Amino acid sequence: MNTHIQLRNLGLFDARVPRYTSYPTAPHFNTNVGTPDVTSWLSALDPAQPASLYVHVPFCRRLCWFCACRTQGTSTAGPVAAYVETLKAELKLVKEHLPEGLTLGHLHWGGGTPTLLEPDMITDLAGAIADVAPFASNYEFSVEIDPNEIDDARLDALAAAGMNRASIGVQDFDPVIQETIGRIQSYEITKAAVDGLRSRGIRSLNADILYGLPGQSQEKIAQSVHKLLSLSPDRVALFGYAHVPWIARRQTMIPTDQLPTPEERLELFNTARDLFVWDNYTEIGIDHFARKGDGLEVALRTGKLRRNFQGYTDDKCSAMIGVGASSIAKYPQGYAQNAPATSKYQEAVRAGRLPITKGHAFTPEDHLRGRIIEALMSEFRVERSDLVARFDLGQAAFDDFGKSVSDAFPAMLSVSSDEIAILDHAKPLTRMIARHFDAYDMAQAQHSSAV
């Protein structure tokens, strides 16, 4: 049977499923987790183990129509400066509960547009972070860079603060598509940002590119990928555009009649994928690609690839502290999310409170199912030996998992007493297969397309 027909019959082109950057996913967070939980979780961190820190900056000079991130527009530096002061105050609150001697293995500034910060704000914020916890040896400090919002002064400030990895959003280089999605960003501006980063010794460059955009064709995405390859990024995220106007109202500006069909989306993905593989990138999970020797490629090769809210990662830290409005933290005990609205976030911090609004405390079953989902999303297989070592899972329970998923997806998996593996032709179904192991009700959650 034709592979497309098989995929259609299994519901790929109709399904809406999570991207599984967490388990359980954010729609299942609840108000049972609050500030007392987080303060105890912070205090319980092992100072001998480096932690990660995520800093969210929810401001943009302009709001791109395709984006579903929680951001707000600003034309002046005033709101950004006030927000940085709130971040510094939150960092002080976090520090009160951290064990002495904790270091940072990973630091990531995301948004929004972190490069909207003025150079002195960058230096000020970096200093406040260093006061909370210094970098560990072999640390990674990554920043999301908007080529339209970067200059020499900001690059110098970021490099002086220790940034050694940068992530650039490309989306698509076609000018008509850029106009349609509200993101004008020329190849020349993007290359200038890349050259500026590399001239300052930034050792690793990530790039994001989207498929499934309005008006996108196989020819157009191939042209954009070729331009991106000319910049030689060390790793690439090939994300599917998620059209979720019920979450991001700005997406109502996107002409839905120009969006590709689910079948066309799959072909767009395959076209881009084939070009990255042709240029000797290693496939990482369902939507990333990396050069040989990149941290992601090494993590995949050594069985240490992980998945978190930034996507695939080689971050080995067991805890990720989140600061900033809407930021999500992960601790060994569970997730915690800050107030999403900037005003509510700032109000809580100014009152001297950690701005936690919801989260989720892990159960033993969460850990087990979360690991199965992460393994499938990362390596397309889950090994019984891994589950035995982590959870002492019995053979009968593993066999039940295997039979259940193979019955749901016939001829799509290889199942034995030792391993559940997704076959190559079934990899487009990975998120759906992962969903099979999700014990939470998805009736109320409106996720993006499965392809």
Side-chain angles (χ1 to χ4, degrees), residues 158-170:
L158 288 168
M163 177 182 70
N164 54 22
R165 180 184 293 281
S167 180
I168 289 183
V170 169

Side-chain angles (χ1 to χ4, degrees), residues 41-97:
W41 294 351
L42 287 167
S43 300
L45 292 176
D46 181 357
Q49 301 295 322
S52 293
L53 177 66
Y54 173 73
V55 180
H56 188 68
V57 180
F59 294 97
C60 294
R61 191 81 63 195
R62 71 204 181 290
L63 297 179
C64 303
W65 302 335
F66 73 90
C67 181
C69 297
R70 183 174 286 276
T71 60
Q72 60 194 82
T74 181
S75 58
T76 65
V80 182
Y83 182 80
V84 170
E85 291 303 311
T86 311
L87 283 176
K88 290 162 57 181
E90 185 187 5
L91 286 165
K92 287 183 178 179
L93 292 174
V94 168
K95 183 181 179 181
E96 291 177 6
H97 304 286

Side-chain angles (χ1 to χ4, degrees), residues 180 193 207 219 308 339 430 437:
T180 305
E219 180 182 5
N308 64 19
T430 298
F437 294 93

Side-chain angles (χ1 to χ4, degrees), residues 170-283:
V170 169
Q171 323 321 333
D172 192 288
F173 282 120
D174 184 271
V176 175
I177 293 176
Q178 289 184 357
E179 188 77 33
T180 305
I181 65 175
R183 170 75 172 222
I184 306 301
Q185 179 183 314
S186 69
Y187 172 80
E188 290 73 22
I189 286 175
T190 307
K191 185 177 186 302
V194 170
D195 291 345
L197 288 161
R198 291 214 164 106
S199 70
R200 287 165 175 80
I202 304 307
R203 64 175 175 80
S204 187
L205 178 68
N206 307 358
D208 297 344
I209 189 168
L210 292 179
Y211 70 92
L213 292 171
Q216 212 171 36
S217 65
Q218 292 184 57
E219 180 182 5
K220 286 184 175 183
I221 199 171
Q223 291 172 348
S224 288
V225 170
H226 278 298
K227 287 183 177 181
L228 179 58
L229 289 172
S230 74
L231 302 176
S232 297
D234 297 275
R235 65 178 70 161
V236 177
L238 175 61
F239 291 133
Y241 165 61
H243 191 64
V244 287
W246 54 87
I247 296 174
R249 292 177 58 187
R250 72 192 73 161
Q251 289 189 351
T252 58
M253 302 290 289
I254 301 290
T256 55
D257 60 338
Q258 295 183 33
L259 291 173
T261 66
E263 291 90 340
E264 290 168 340
R265 283 173 62 95
L266 182 58
E267 291 305 320
L268 290 168
F269 173 85
N270 287 335
T271 296
R273 169 197 171 276
D274 290 347
L275 287 171
F276 289 123
V277 172
W278 166 81
D279 204 39
N280 295 317
Y281 283 78
T282 298
E283 287 188 80

Side-chain angles (χ1 to χ4, degrees), residues 18-35:
R19 294 181 184 270
Y20 286 114
T21 53
S22 70
Y23 183 80
T25 56
H28 299 292
F29 292 179
N30 56 70
T31 56
N32 294 333
V33 168
T35 299

Side-chain angles (χ1 to χ4, degrees), residues 20 23 307 364-384 386-388 390-391 393-394 397-402 405 413 419-422 430 433-439:
Y20 286 114
Y23 183 80
R307 192 160 170 82
E365 186 177 5
D366 288 337
H367 286 299
L368 170 61
R369 291 181 178 271
R371 176 54 195 158
I372 292 172
I373 289 171
E374 182 181 55
L376 289 171
M377 294 288 294
S378 300
E379 301 180 14
F380 303 107
R381 69 179 186 275
V382 56
E383 298 175 346
R384 187 176 71 88
D386 178 57
L387 301 184
V388 169
R390 293 171 184 264
F391 310 106
L393 187 74
F398 186 82
D399 291 344
D400 286 344
F401 280 138
V405 71
L413 299 110
E419 181 182 76
I420 300 168
I422 301 172
T430 298
I433 293 171
R435 180 183 64 177
H436 184 81
F437 294 93
D438 190 331

Side-chain angles (χ1 to χ4, degrees), residues 1-15 260-267 408-410 412 425-426 428-429 432 435 450-451:
M1 183 185 296
N2 178 279
T3 299
H4 269 217
I5 295 175
Q6 288 180 299
L7 297 176
R8 173 178 287 283
N9 290 343
L10 288 168
L12 175 66
F13 300 126
D14 301 311
T261 66
E263 291 90 340
E264 290 168 340
R265 283 173 62 95
L266 182 58
E267 291 305 320
F409 297 93
M412 296 291 139
H425 67 271
L429 294 165
M432 293 180 63
R435 180 183 64 177
V451 64

